[in-house]
Amino acid sequence: MDRPLAVLEQFQIKGAIESVALFGSGHINDTYKVETTSARYLLQRINTSIFRDTGLFESNLGALMAGKPEVLVAHIPTLEEQWLFTDDSGTWKMQVFDEDTYAPQLADHPDQVREVGKGFGKFMALNLPVDAFGEIIPDFHSIDWRLKQLDEAIANNVAGRKAEAQPLIDQADDYRWIAERMEYLKGQGLPLRLCHNDTKIDNILLSRSSGHFKYVIDLDTVGPGYALYDFGDMMRTLLSPTKEAEPDVSKIELRQHYYQSLREGFLGECEGMLHKVEIESLSFGGQYMTYLMAIRFLADFLNGDMYYKVSHKQENFIRARNQLRLLKLMDIFNS
Ligand code: GN1
Ligand code: MG
């Protein structure tokens, strides 16, 4: 608690600090909610073992904030007019917290799904020049790189979990065609876009009063990508009524009417800028992102939970198993 307090003084905040408390459920960074006598903020310590290039992180954030887009929560500069503050306690950033908003954890109504789709559709429709941004985690959404990491994790078997993971490894093998399909689509001229690259349901803030979309949050991974990445990660996190670590695999479902609402919400905002090949590959995006996350969770399980925060030693196994189950349900999108 002492550290965030000292760090807070480095940002241009209003009012006297009343409270600072841990907040949220991200897997990577530490987030604190800050209340002052006149405003509410979120302070975040960036995990620099994952976001290593803080210079690029700051320039990406600056490029995003330059036009002060309405779809993004305002960020607070430091006293030196920078977006990040670094000292020996870490690298920190700060943003406004809007009390009228909430981040939905699970989708429970098609209208809510439409609003989430609308939010990330508006983000896509910003259509910011992709060349002004760098890839903060190189090859972040490259399925080839993720499969290579999985293969290495299987070969090294550092945590001795390979035998236990074998049924999941076998299921994952059946979907290697997804990598080939992606290559094919790139060959068909899929254009690079400025993507959010982490379009989970809880990275949207909805208004508590109206239920309508208010802001896109978690801008850490904004950078070059393909429209199907952003649409796909929404499918991954909105179509099933379950959390990533749901213990009961039989509860995983694919709600097709939610898929329709999601498409309407998203395309209603950005259809005009998308090429035919992008629109036609949106549902494949769900398969792509679900497969990618299955591989990432599985590799992390095999590596002994080096990357994702876990609360017990089965958690990454369960996350991978659940993604593979969802992926199986997405076979209906095979054309
Ligand atoms: C991580 O930390 P969080 O929850 O924003 C991950 C995403 C995954 C997500 C899965 C930098 O995001 O790619 O989709 O977990 N972010 C990074 O819940 O690896
Ligand atoms: Mg994130």
Side-chain angles (χ1 to χ4, degrees), residues 258-303:
Y258 278 34
Y259 173 73
Q260 288 313 328
S261 305
L262 178 62
R263 249 186 111 88
E264 284 163 22
F266 183 75
L267 286 177
E269 299 296 331
C270 65
E271 187 164 17
M273 68 172 269
L274 296 180
H275 297 178
K276 187 163 175 266
V277 62
E278 292 177 289
I279 296 172
E280 287 174 356
S281 59
L282 289 178
S283 68
F284 169 70
Q287 296 173 295
Y288 185 94
M289 291 305 298
T290 305
Y291 188 42
L292 190 105
M293 286 311 302
I295 293 167
R296 290 180 64 189
F297 288 140
L298 185 53
D300 202 35
F301 177 70
L302 289 161
N303 290 334

mmCIF file of all heavy atoms in Angstrom, residues 258-303:
data_model
loop_
_atom_site.group_PDB
_atom_site.id
_atom_site.type_symbol
_atom_site.label_atom_id
_atom_site.label_comp_id
_atom_site.label_asym_id
_atom_site.label_seq_id
_atom_site.Cartn_x
_atom_site.Cartn_y
_atom_site.Cartn_z
ATOM 1 N N TYR A 258 -26.657 -15.490 -29.205
ATOM 2 C CA TYR A 258 -25.699 -14.488 -28.737
ATOM 3 C C TYR A 258 -24.725 -14.138 -29.868
ATOM 4 O O TYR A 258 -24.281 -13.000 -30.007
ATOM 5 C CB TYR A 258 -24.914 -15.000 -27.521
ATOM 6 C CG TYR A 258 -25.635 -14.861 -26.197
ATOM 7 C CD1 TYR A 258 -27.014 -14.985 -26.097
ATOM 8 C CD2 TYR A 258 -24.926 -14.623 -25.025
ATOM 9 C CE1 TYR A 258 -27.667 -14.869 -24.874
ATOM 10 C CE2 TYR A 258 -25.569 -14.498 -23.793
ATOM 11 C CZ TYR A 258 -26.939 -14.622 -23.731
ATOM 12 O OH TYR A 258 -27.570 -14.503 -22.523
ATOM 13 N N TYR A 259 -24.375 -15.169 -30.643
ATOM 14 C CA TYR A 259 -23.472 -14.928 -31.779
ATOM 15 C C TYR A 259 -24.102 -13.904 -32.738
ATOM 16 O O TYR A 259 -23.434 -12.990 -33.205
ATOM 17 C CB TYR A 259 -23.179 -16.252 -32.505
ATOM 18 C CG TYR A 259 -22.391 -16.067 -33.774
ATOM 19 C CD1 TYR A 259 -21.032 -15.739 -33.718
ATOM 20 C CD2 TYR A 259 -23.001 -16.190 -35.020
ATOM 21 C CE1 TYR A 259 -20.312 -15.538 -34.882
ATOM 22 C CE2 TYR A 259 -22.275 -15.997 -36.184
ATOM 23 C CZ TYR A 259 -20.938 -15.676 -36.109
ATOM 24 O OH TYR A 259 -20.230 -15.466 -37.261
ATOM 25 N N GLN A 260 -25.381 -14.042 -32.988
ATOM 26 C CA GLN A 260 -26.054 -13.102 -33.902
ATOM 27 C C GLN A 260 -26.021 -11.688 -33.324
ATOM 28 O O GLN A 260 -25.735 -10.718 -34.037
ATOM 29 C CB GLN A 260 -27.519 -13.520 -34.151
ATOM 30 C CG GLN A 260 -27.682 -14.751 -35.024
ATOM 31 C CD GLN A 260 -26.830 -14.707 -36.293
ATOM 32 O OE1 GLN A 260 -26.570 -13.651 -36.861
ATOM 33 N NE2 GLN A 260 -26.363 -15.867 -36.731
ATOM 34 N N SER A 261 -26.298 -11.560 -32.025
ATOM 35 C CA SER A 261 -26.280 -10.224 -31.402
ATOM 36 C C SER A 261 -24.887 -9.612 -31.454
ATOM 37 O O SER A 261 -24.720 -8.417 -31.675
ATOM 38 C CB SER A 261 -26.708 -10.303 -29.937
ATOM 39 O OG SER A 261 -27.950 -10.918 -29.845
ATOM 40 N N LEU A 262 -23.895 -10.447 -31.230
ATOM 41 C CA LEU A 262 -22.506 -9.975 -31.247
ATOM 42 C C LEU A 262 -22.143 -9.432 -32.631
ATOM 43 O O LEU A 262 -21.563 -8.345 -32.768
ATOM 44 C CB LEU A 262 -21.586 -11.143 -30.871
ATOM 45 C CG LEU A 262 -20.097 -10.859 -30.880
ATOM 46 C CD1 LEU A 262 -19.750 -9.788 -29.862
ATOM 47 C CD2 LEU A 262 -19.316 -12.134 -30.579
ATOM 48 N N ARG A 263 -22.496 -10.197 -33.645
ATOM 49 C CA ARG A 263 -22.215 -9.779 -35.032
ATOM 50 C C ARG A 263 -22.914 -8.461 -35.350
ATOM 51 O O ARG A 263 -22.326 -7.555 -35.938
ATOM 52 C CB ARG A 263 -22.762 -10.856 -35.983
ATOM 53 C CG ARG A 263 -21.725 -11.633 -36.707
ATOM 54 C CD ARG A 263 -22.395 -12.551 -37.721
ATOM 55 N NE ARG A 263 -22.090 -12.088 -39.073
ATOM 56 C CZ ARG A 263 -21.025 -12.464 -39.746
ATOM 57 N NH1 ARG A 263 -20.150 -13.286 -39.247
ATOM 58 N NH2 ARG A 263 -20.814 -12.001 -40.976
ATOM 59 N N GLU A 264 -24.192 -8.379 -34.956
ATOM 60 C CA GLU A 264 -24.945 -7.144 -35.239
ATOM 61 C C GLU A 264 -24.305 -5.940 -34.558
ATOM 62 O O GLU A 264 -24.129 -4.887 -35.152
ATOM 63 C CB GLU A 264 -26.390 -7.276 -34.736
ATOM 64 C CG GLU A 264 -27.263 -8.134 -35.629
ATOM 65 C CD GLU A 264 -28.543 -8.602 -34.917
ATOM 66 O OE1 GLU A 264 -28.973 -7.957 -33.927
ATOM 67 O OE2 GLU A 264 -29.081 -9.637 -35.357
ATOM 68 N N GLY A 265 -23.953 -6.127 -33.279
ATOM 69 C CA GLY A 265 -23.341 -5.035 -32.528
ATOM 70 C C GLY A 265 -22.033 -4.597 -33.157
ATOM 71 O O GLY A 265 -21.787 -3.403 -33.371
ATOM 72 N N PHE A 266 -21.187 -5.554 -33.482
ATOM 73 C CA PHE A 266 -19.845 -5.256 -34.015
ATOM 74 C C PHE A 266 -19.946 -4.666 -35.428
ATOM 75 O O PHE A 266 -19.446 -3.568 -35.692
ATOM 76 C CB PHE A 266 -19.030 -6.556 -34.017
ATOM 77 C CG PHE A 266 -17.600 -6.397 -34.471
ATOM 78 C CD1 PHE A 266 -16.654 -5.825 -33.627
ATOM 79 C CD2 PHE A 266 -17.186 -6.850 -35.715
ATOM 80 C CE1 PHE A 266 -15.319 -5.697 -34.018
ATOM 81 C CE2 PHE A 266 -15.857 -6.727 -36.118
ATOM 82 C CZ PHE A 266 -14.924 -6.154 -35.259
ATOM 83 N N LEU A 267 -20.633 -5.387 -36.307
ATOM 84 C CA LEU A 267 -20.677 -4.942 -37.709
ATOM 85 C C LEU A 267 -21.453 -3.644 -37.866
ATOM 86 O O LEU A 267 -21.163 -2.841 -38.760
ATOM 87 C CB LEU A 267 -21.267 -6.042 -38.602
ATOM 88 C CG LEU A 267 -20.315 -7.221 -38.860
ATOM 89 C CD1 LEU A 267 -21.023 -8.297 -39.685
ATOM 90 C CD2 LEU A 267 -19.036 -6.787 -39.576
ATOM 91 N N GLY A 268 -22.405 -3.417 -36.980
ATOM 92 C CA GLY A 268 -23.164 -2.155 -37.031
ATOM 93 C C GLY A 268 -22.247 -0.948 -36.915
ATOM 94 O O GLY A 268 -22.563 0.140 -37.397
ATOM 95 N N GLU A 269 -21.089 -1.133 -36.285
ATOM 96 C CA GLU A 269 -20.158 -0.019 -36.098
ATOM 97 C C GLU A 269 -19.054 0.029 -37.156
ATOM 98 O O GLU A 269 -18.550 1.104 -37.448
ATOM 99 C CB GLU A 269 -19.503 -0.110 -34.712
ATOM 100 C CG GLU A 269 -20.478 -0.024 -33.559
ATOM 101 C CD GLU A 269 -21.205 1.309 -33.484
ATOM 102 O OE1 GLU A 269 -20.632 2.327 -33.914
ATOM 103 O OE2 GLU A 269 -22.352 1.335 -33.002
ATOM 104 N N CYS A 270 -18.637 -1.139 -37.652
ATOM 105 C CA CYS A 270 -17.422 -1.097 -38.488
ATOM 106 C C CYS A 270 -17.537 -1.838 -39.816
ATOM 107 O O CYS A 270 -16.536 -1.970 -40.523
ATOM 108 C CB CYS A 270 -16.216 -1.604 -37.691
ATOM 109 S SG CYS A 270 -16.341 -3.340 -37.246
ATOM 110 N N GLU A 271 -18.730 -2.273 -40.172
ATOM 111 C CA GLU A 271 -18.866 -3.047 -41.415
ATOM 112 C C GLU A 271 -18.322 -2.291 -42.627
ATOM 113 O O GLU A 271 -17.672 -2.861 -43.494
ATOM 114 C CB GLU A 271 -20.335 -3.421 -41.646
ATOM 115 C CG GLU A 271 -20.518 -4.354 -42.826
ATOM 116 C CD GLU A 271 -21.883 -5.028 -42.827
ATOM 117 O OE1 GLU A 271 -22.793 -4.536 -42.102
ATOM 118 O OE2 GLU A 271 -22.038 -6.032 -43.533
ATOM 119 N N GLY A 272 -18.578 -0.973 -42.626
ATOM 120 C CA GLY A 272 -18.212 -0.152 -43.788
ATOM 121 C C GLY A 272 -16.723 -0.154 -44.093
ATOM 122 O O GLY A 272 -16.328 -0.021 -45.243
ATOM 123 N N MET A 273 -15.896 -0.313 -43.068
ATOM 124 C CA MET A 273 -14.451 -0.252 -43.323
ATOM 125 C C MET A 273 -13.840 -1.629 -43.593
ATOM 126 O O MET A 273 -12.706 -1.726 -44.022
ATOM 127 C CB MET A 273 -13.735 0.389 -42.126
ATOM 128 C CG MET A 273 -13.782 -0.462 -40.892
ATOM 129 S SD MET A 273 -12.754 0.175 -39.531
ATOM 130 C CE MET A 273 -11.222 -0.671 -39.857
ATOM 131 N N LEU A 274 -14.610 -2.689 -43.317
ATOM 132 C CA LEU A 274 -14.033 -4.032 -43.442
ATOM 133 C C LEU A 274 -14.137 -4.567 -44.864
ATOM 134 O O LEU A 274 -15.122 -4.329 -45.562
ATOM 135 C CB LEU A 274 -14.732 -5.002 -42.474
ATOM 136 C CG LEU A 274 -14.578 -4.721 -40.976
ATOM 137 C CD1 LEU A 274 -15.329 -5.785 -40.164
ATOM 138 C CD2 LEU A 274 -13.117 -4.661 -40.537
ATOM 139 N N HIS A 275 -13.110 -5.316 -45.269
ATOM 140 C CA HIS A 275 -13.128 -5.953 -46.583
ATOM 141 C C HIS A 275 -13.948 -7.247 -46.504
ATOM 142 O O HIS A 275 -14.144 -7.793 -45.408
ATOM 143 C CB HIS A 275 -11.715 -6.308 -47.029
ATOM 144 C CG HIS A 275 -10.813 -5.120 -47.201
ATOM 145 N ND1 HIS A 275 -9.490 -5.213 -47.561
ATOM 146 C CD2 HIS A 275 -11.046 -3.789 -47.046
ATOM 147 C CE1 HIS A 275 -8.950 -4.015 -47.625
ATOM 148 N NE2 HIS A 275 -9.878 -3.119 -47.321
ATOM 149 N N LYS A 276 -14.353 -7.709 -47.689
ATOM 150 C CA LYS A 276 -15.166 -8.933 -47.742
ATOM 151 C C LYS A 276 -14.481 -10.105 -47.020
ATOM 152 O O LYS A 276 -15.099 -10.815 -46.237
ATOM 153 C CB LYS A 276 -15.395 -9.259 -49.219
ATOM 154 C CG LYS A 276 -16.336 -10.377 -49.499
ATOM 155 C CD LYS A 276 -16.802 -10.320 -50.964
ATOM 156 C CE LYS A 276 -17.650 -11.521 -51.300
ATOM 157 N NZ LYS A 276 -16.872 -12.631 -51.887
ATOM 158 N N VAL A 277 -13.167 -10.263 -47.243
ATOM 159 C CA VAL A 277 -12.449 -11.397 -46.631
ATOM 160 C C VAL A 277 -12.456 -11.282 -45.097
ATOM 161 O O VAL A 277 -12.462 -12.297 -44.400
ATOM 162 C CB VAL A 277 -11.008 -11.525 -47.203
ATOM 163 C CG1 VAL A 277 -10.177 -10.282 -46.902
ATOM 164 C CG2 VAL A 277 -10.290 -12.763 -46.678
ATOM 165 N N GLU A 278 -12.491 -10.060 -44.585
ATOM 166 C CA GLU A 278 -12.536 -9.888 -43.126
ATOM 167 C C GLU A 278 -13.909 -10.285 -42.587
ATOM 168 O O GLU A 278 -14.019 -10.975 -41.565
ATOM 169 C CB GLU A 278 -12.244 -8.431 -42.758
ATOM 170 C CG GLU A 278 -10.815 -8.008 -43.052
ATOM 171 C CD GLU A 278 -10.590 -6.529 -42.748
ATOM 172 O OE1 GLU A 278 -11.106 -5.678 -43.496
ATOM 173 O OE2 GLU A 278 -9.898 -6.241 -41.754
ATOM 174 N N ILE A 279 -14.939 -9.826 -43.272
ATOM 175 C CA ILE A 279 -16.304 -10.134 -42.804
ATOM 176 C C ILE A 279 -16.545 -11.641 -42.868
ATOM 177 O O ILE A 279 -17.067 -12.236 -41.926
ATOM 178 C CB ILE A 279 -17.349 -9.348 -43.619
ATOM 179 C CG1 ILE A 279 -17.151 -7.848 -43.360
ATOM 180 C CG2 ILE A 279 -18.773 -9.781 -43.263
ATOM 181 C CD1 ILE A 279 -17.984 -6.933 -44.231
ATOM 182 N N GLU A 280 -16.069 -12.251 -43.949
ATOM 183 C CA GLU A 280 -16.302 -13.694 -44.107
ATOM 184 C C GLU A 280 -15.498 -14.543 -43.125
ATOM 185 O O GLU A 280 -15.820 -15.710 -42.928
ATOM 186 C CB GLU A 280 -15.988 -14.108 -45.550
ATOM 187 C CG GLU A 280 -17.064 -13.617 -46.495
ATOM 188 C CD GLU A 280 -16.736 -13.868 -47.960
ATOM 189 O OE1 GLU A 280 -15.621 -14.374 -48.252
ATOM 190 O OE2 GLU A 280 -17.586 -13.544 -48.805
ATOM 191 N N SER A 281 -14.452 -13.974 -42.553
ATOM 192 C CA SER A 281 -13.612 -14.788 -41.650
ATOM 193 C C SER A 281 -13.868 -14.483 -40.170
ATOM 194 O O SER A 281 -13.138 -14.960 -39.308
ATOM 195 C CB SER A 281 -12.129 -14.584 -41.979
ATOM 196 O OG SER A 281 -11.770 -13.228 -41.844
ATOM 197 N N LEU A 282 -14.919 -13.703 -39.870
ATOM 198 C CA LEU A 282 -15.163 -13.346 -38.466
ATOM 199 C C LEU A 282 -15.430 -14.574 -37.588
ATOM 200 O O LEU A 282 -14.875 -14.700 -36.504
ATOM 201 C CB LEU A 282 -16.330 -12.357 -38.349
ATOM 202 C CG LEU A 282 -16.067 -10.934 -38.851
ATOM 203 C CD1 LEU A 282 -17.327 -10.079 -38.704
ATOM 204 C CD2 LEU A 282 -14.891 -10.275 -38.135
ATOM 205 N N SER A 283 -16.271 -15.495 -38.061
ATOM 206 C CA SER A 283 -16.587 -16.650 -37.210
ATOM 207 C C SER A 283 -15.366 -17.557 -37.051
ATOM 208 O O SER A 283 -15.158 -18.155 -35.989
ATOM 209 C CB SER A 283 -17.789 -17.429 -37.750
ATOM 210 O OG SER A 283 -17.456 -18.045 -38.970
ATOM 211 N N PHE A 284 -14.533 -17.618 -38.075
ATOM 212 C CA PHE A 284 -13.270 -18.362 -37.944
ATOM 213 C C PHE A 284 -12.421 -17.754 -36.813
ATOM 214 O O PHE A 284 -11.680 -18.459 -36.123
ATOM 215 C CB PHE A 284 -12.505 -18.348 -39.281
ATOM 216 C CG PHE A 284 -11.094 -18.857 -39.154
ATOM 217 C CD1 PHE A 284 -10.849 -20.204 -38.917
ATOM 218 C CD2 PHE A 284 -10.011 -17.983 -39.241
ATOM 219 C CE1 PHE A 284 -9.537 -20.670 -38.768
ATOM 220 C CE2 PHE A 284 -8.707 -18.441 -39.095
ATOM 221 C CZ PHE A 284 -8.466 -19.792 -38.852
ATOM 222 N N GLY A 285 -12.555 -16.442 -36.628
ATOM 223 C CA GLY A 285 -11.834 -15.760 -35.541
ATOM 224 C C GLY A 285 -12.120 -16.404 -34.189
ATOM 225 O O GLY A 285 -11.232 -16.533 -33.349
ATOM 226 N N GLY A 286 -13.364 -16.823 -33.969
ATOM 227 C CA GLY A 286 -13.717 -17.491 -32.705
ATOM 228 C C GLY A 286 -12.919 -18.778 -32.538
ATOM 229 O O GLY A 286 -12.382 -19.070 -31.460
ATOM 230 N N GLN A 287 -12.830 -19.536 -33.624
ATOM 231 C CA GLN A 287 -12.067 -20.791 -33.566
ATOM 232 C C GLN A 287 -10.580 -20.497 -33.357
ATOM 233 O O GLN A 287 -9.909 -21.148 -32.548
ATOM 234 C CB GLN A 287 -12.280 -21.575 -34.873
ATOM 235 C CG GLN A 287 -13.730 -22.000 -35.044
ATOM 236 C CD GLN A 287 -13.980 -22.623 -36.408
ATOM 237 O OE1 GLN A 287 -13.870 -21.959 -37.438
ATOM 238 N NE2 GLN A 287 -14.331 -23.900 -36.430
ATOM 239 N N TYR A 288 -10.092 -19.495 -34.067
ATOM 240 C CA TYR A 288 -8.674 -19.138 -33.987
ATOM 241 C C TYR A 288 -8.294 -18.725 -32.563
ATOM 242 O O TYR A 288 -7.337 -19.228 -31.979
ATOM 243 C CB TYR A 288 -8.400 -17.996 -34.973
ATOM 244 C CG TYR A 288 -6.935 -17.608 -35.074
ATOM 245 C CD1 TYR A 288 -6.125 -18.171 -36.064
ATOM 246 C CD2 TYR A 288 -6.367 -16.687 -34.201
ATOM 247 C CE1 TYR A 288 -4.783 -17.822 -36.166
ATOM 248 C CE2 TYR A 288 -5.026 -16.341 -34.301
ATOM 249 C CZ TYR A 288 -4.245 -16.907 -35.287
ATOM 250 O OH TYR A 288 -2.912 -16.560 -35.388
ATOM 251 N N MET A 289 -9.055 -17.806 -31.982
ATOM 252 C CA MET A 289 -8.693 -17.281 -30.662
ATOM 253 C C MET A 289 -8.908 -18.322 -29.558
ATOM 254 O O MET A 289 -8.161 -18.370 -28.585
ATOM 255 C CB MET A 289 -9.483 -16.004 -30.345
ATOM 256 C CG MET A 289 -9.097 -14.817 -31.206
ATOM 257 S SD MET A 289 -7.340 -14.401 -31.167
ATOM 258 C CE MET A 289 -7.125 -14.003 -29.441
ATOM 259 N N THR A 290 -9.950 -19.151 -29.726
ATOM 260 C CA THR A 290 -10.205 -20.188 -28.726
ATOM 261 C C THR A 290 -9.079 -21.223 -28.764
ATOM 262 O O THR A 290 -8.577 -21.666 -27.727
ATOM 263 C CB THR A 290 -11.589 -20.835 -28.967
ATOM 264 O OG1 THR A 290 -12.565 -19.777 -28.976
ATOM 265 C CG2 THR A 290 -11.957 -21.829 -27.885
ATOM 266 N N TYR A 291 -8.651 -21.562 -29.973
ATOM 267 C CA TYR A 291 -7.529 -22.504 -30.124
ATOM 268 C C TYR A 291 -6.249 -21.907 -29.541
ATOM 269 O O TYR A 291 -5.518 -22.552 -28.785
ATOM 270 C CB TYR A 291 -7.349 -22.826 -31.611
ATOM 271 C CG TYR A 291 -6.357 -23.930 -31.892
ATOM 272 C CD1 TYR A 291 -6.329 -25.091 -31.114
ATOM 273 C CD2 TYR A 291 -5.450 -23.829 -32.942
ATOM 274 C CE1 TYR A 291 -5.418 -26.114 -31.382
ATOM 275 C CE2 TYR A 291 -4.544 -24.845 -33.215
ATOM 276 C CZ TYR A 291 -4.534 -25.978 -32.433
ATOM 277 O OH TYR A 291 -3.628 -26.991 -32.692
ATOM 278 N N LEU A 292 -6.005 -20.650 -29.885
ATOM 279 C CA LEU A 292 -4.799 -19.973 -29.387
ATOM 280 C C LEU A 292 -4.747 -19.982 -27.861
ATOM 281 O O LEU A 292 -3.716 -20.277 -27.248
ATOM 282 C CB LEU A 292 -4.776 -18.535 -29.918
ATOM 283 C CG LEU A 292 -3.493 -17.767 -29.686
ATOM 284 C CD1 LEU A 292 -2.697 -17.671 -30.990
ATOM 285 C CD2 LEU A 292 -3.760 -16.368 -29.194
ATOM 286 N N MET A 293 -5.876 -19.674 -27.227
ATOM 287 C CA MET A 293 -5.888 -19.642 -25.760
ATOM 288 C C MET A 293 -5.783 -21.049 -25.174
ATOM 289 O O MET A 293 -5.165 -21.236 -24.129
ATOM 290 C CB MET A 293 -7.138 -18.926 -25.237
ATOM 291 C CG MET A 293 -7.117 -17.421 -25.399
ATOM 292 S SD MET A 293 -5.599 -16.620 -24.820
ATOM 293 C CE MET A 293 -5.556 -17.133 -23.112
ATOM 294 N N ALA A 294 -6.368 -22.040 -25.861
ATOM 295 C CA ALA A 294 -6.220 -23.426 -25.388
ATOM 296 C C ALA A 294 -4.741 -23.795 -25.361
ATOM 297 O O ALA A 294 -4.229 -24.342 -24.372
ATOM 298 C CB ALA A 294 -6.988 -24.379 -26.309
ATOM 299 N N ILE A 295 -4.045 -23.452 -26.429
ATOM 300 C CA ILE A 295 -2.618 -23.774 -26.537
ATOM 301 C C ILE A 295 -1.809 -23.026 -25.484
ATOM 302 O O ILE A 295 -0.901 -23.572 -24.866
ATOM 303 C CB ILE A 295 -2.111 -23.384 -27.946
ATOM 304 C CG1 ILE A 295 -2.761 -24.267 -28.992
ATOM 305 C CG2 ILE A 295 -0.603 -23.485 -28.034
ATOM 306 C CD1 ILE A 295 -2.547 -23.715 -30.383
ATOM 307 N N ARG A 296 -2.147 -21.762 -25.270
ATOM 308 C CA ARG A 296 -1.391 -20.964 -24.292
ATOM 309 C C ARG A 296 -1.579 -21.515 -22.873
ATOM 310 O O ARG A 296 -0.633 -21.632 -22.121
ATOM 311 C CB ARG A 296 -1.829 -19.491 -24.350
ATOM 312 C CG ARG A 296 -1.385 -18.782 -25.616
ATOM 313 C CD ARG A 296 -1.828 -17.318 -25.637
ATOM 314 N NE ARG A 296 -1.204 -16.541 -24.577
ATOM 315 C CZ ARG A 296 -1.548 -15.284 -24.261
ATOM 316 N NH1 ARG A 296 -2.512 -14.677 -24.932
ATOM 317 N NH2 ARG A 296 -0.934 -14.639 -23.292
ATOM 318 N N PHE A 297 -2.830 -21.831 -22.515
ATOM 319 C CA PHE A 297 -3.077 -22.364 -21.170
ATOM 320 C C PHE A 297 -2.403 -23.744 -21.008
ATOM 321 O O PHE A 297 -1.828 -24.049 -19.971
ATOM 322 C CB PHE A 297 -4.584 -22.491 -20.898
ATOM 323 C CG PHE A 297 -5.307 -21.173 -20.694
ATOM 324 C CD1 PHE A 297 -6.578 -20.968 -21.231
ATOM 325 C CD2 PHE A 297 -4.737 -20.147 -19.947
ATOM 326 C CE1 PHE A 297 -7.261 -19.757 -21.025
ATOM 327 C CE2 PHE A 297 -5.412 -18.940 -19.731
ATOM 328 C CZ PHE A 297 -6.676 -18.742 -20.280
ATOM 329 N N LEU A 298 -2.493 -24.544 -22.073
ATOM 330 C CA LEU A 298 -1.913 -25.885 -22.007
ATOM 331 C C LEU A 298 -0.391 -25.806 -21.871
ATOM 332 O O LEU A 298 0.213 -26.509 -21.045
ATOM 333 C CB LEU A 298 -2.323 -26.673 -23.270
ATOM 334 C CG LEU A 298 -1.936 -28.136 -23.356
ATOM 335 C CD1 LEU A 298 -2.393 -28.923 -22.129
ATOM 336 C CD2 LEU A 298 -2.526 -28.772 -24.624
ATOM 337 N N ALA A 299 0.232 -24.941 -22.656
ATOM 338 C CA ALA A 299 1.697 -24.781 -22.572
ATOM 339 C C ALA A 299 2.078 -24.284 -21.174
ATOM 340 O O ALA A 299 3.058 -24.758 -20.587
ATOM 341 C CB ALA A 299 2.193 -23.815 -23.651
ATOM 342 N N ASP A 300 1.286 -23.375 -20.619
ATOM 343 C CA ASP A 300 1.614 -22.853 -19.288
ATOM 344 C C ASP A 300 1.447 -23.944 -18.218
ATOM 345 O O ASP A 300 2.235 -24.020 -17.270
ATOM 346 C CB ASP A 300 0.743 -21.630 -18.966
ATOM 347 C CG ASP A 300 1.380 -20.753 -17.890
ATOM 348 O OD1 ASP A 300 2.626 -20.648 -17.861
ATOM 349 O OD2 ASP A 300 0.644 -20.174 -17.067
ATOM 350 N N PHE A 301 0.447 -24.793 -18.406
ATOM 351 C CA PHE A 301 0.284 -25.919 -17.472
ATOM 352 C C PHE A 301 1.526 -26.814 -17.525
ATOM 353 O O PHE A 301 2.104 -27.176 -16.490
ATOM 354 C CB PHE A 301 -0.985 -26.717 -17.839
ATOM 355 C CG PHE A 301 -1.193 -27.930 -16.981
ATOM 356 C CD1 PHE A 301 -1.549 -27.800 -15.645
ATOM 357 C CD2 PHE A 301 -1.012 -29.210 -17.503
ATOM 358 C CE1 PHE A 301 -1.727 -28.921 -14.835
ATOM 359 C CE2 PHE A 301 -1.188 -30.331 -16.700
ATOM 360 C CZ PHE A 301 -1.540 -30.186 -15.364
ATOM 361 N N LEU A 302 1.961 -27.136 -18.755
ATOM 362 C CA LEU A 302 3.133 -28.002 -18.914
ATOM 363 C C LEU A 302 4.400 -27.341 -18.365
ATOM 364 O O LEU A 302 5.293 -28.008 -17.861
ATOM 365 C CB LEU A 302 3.323 -28.355 -20.397
ATOM 366 C CG LEU A 302 2.272 -29.323 -20.958
ATOM 367 C CD1 LEU A 302 2.225 -29.271 -22.479
ATOM 368 C CD2 LEU A 302 2.560 -30.750 -20.487
ATOM 369 N N ASN A 303 4.456 -26.021 -18.455
ATOM 370 C CA ASN A 303 5.640 -25.291 -17.967
ATOM 371 C C ASN A 303 5.598 -25.033 -16.459
ATOM 372 O O ASN A 303 6.461 -24.349 -15.930
ATOM 373 C CB ASN A 303 5.775 -23.942 -18.687
ATOM 374 C CG ASN A 303 6.178 -24.122 -20.143
ATOM 375 O OD1 ASN A 303 6.804 -25.114 -20.485
ATOM 376 N ND2 ASN A 303 5.824 -23.168 -20.998
#
